[in-house]
Amino acid sequence: MLALRDFNEDDMKSIMNTIITVVGAGGLGSPALRLLTALGFGKIRIIDRDIVELSNIQRQTIYNTQDIGEPKVEAAVENLKMVNPNVEFEPLCVSIGEENAIDLLRGTDIILDGLDSFKARRAVNRASQILGIPYIFAGAVEYYANLSTFVPGKTGCLNCVMGSAEDNPDNTCAQVGVTPTVLSLAAAVEVNEAIRLAIGHEPILGNRLMTIDSGSLTFDFFDIGKSEECPICSKSEPASAVKTNEITVTQLCSQSYNISPPQIERFDLNNLAQKLRGSYSVKSTERVMIVTVASGERITLMASGSAIIKGVDTAEEAIRLYELILGKNS
Ligand SMILES: [Zn+2]
């Protein structure tokens, strides 16, 4: 980078001092994370609730076959540390939504979108406005991607562009697929915007929507603006976040559930593991503890309090096992 025209040592220092959060470590998040890590962003928070599956690997380029079944955020950190051990990583295996987006995104300088649902993006967009953090938006499906950069106070927001649009269940990556190449193109554009924001330059995609069609290799730009009617970015007092004290349970693939606590915890896993060793088979490191119970179900608990429960058929059963290892029931 330092050999580049218009890029100096101070710019590199700015990048090394930037905290960036990548929300979603899938098809967009993977190539973006690899670039951000190699570039040397100071701290990278990675938020994703899922586990690695074989079908992910053709486009989710930071994982390999040995990672199958592991929480994506943990596998991502293991693999990215080999790319650049100087980056500080903060893996959070949680489901992001209206109830926790503000807590999860607080303290970061830039938000980079690797999500696959508008419901989650709406929560991120709202938190970006409330916290005043720039949000680099990208969405991709089939051969197409859309991108824009929303800077609170300077540009409109995702809601200005999307209005009341909802997720179309017939048009997801799972249903119609997405090419790995459009994901890499879009992720590179996102990282380009992240570099500009980190070194104090105006983003190229502020008040602009970029579309990519990898089928015809067409790149288009449209001017977009701020809607004065927008309830998210045009109100003087942003609505306060929805708070809940409940844990969130999300079904992942067959017989696997993610459990996200209402707030981020800081568990001492080695200590907890010691207590459980008499009753269960337990493996633990500083960041992850894996407990296998006698009937074969496996609980992967992360220090942040999130867990992935494997081998159960219902959300109730997943919660029961989660509470069991935390000593919350008998
Ligand atoms: Zn708006």
Side-chain angles (χ1 to χ4, degrees), residues 89-121:
F89 293 100
E90 191 182 0
L92 296 173
C93 184
V94 293
S95 198
I96 196 165
E98 293 288 351
E99 69 288 350
N100 61 4
I102 292 174
D103 286 338
L104 292 174
L105 298 171
R106 201 188 299 281
T108 188
D109 300 312
I110 300 168
I111 303 164
L112 189 145
D113 190 340
L115 291 164
D116 60 1
S117 94
F118 275 106
K119 191 160 173 260
R121 285 196 183 96

Side-chain angles (χ1 to χ4, degrees), residues 125 129 150 155-161 225-235:
N125 179 56
Q129 291 292 321
F150 303 114
T155 71
C157 76
L158 183 66
N159 190 68
C160 297
V161 186
K226 185 180 169 86
S227 159
E228 296 308 322
E229 307 294 306
C230 177
I232 306 296
C233 69
S234 287
K235 268 200 202 161

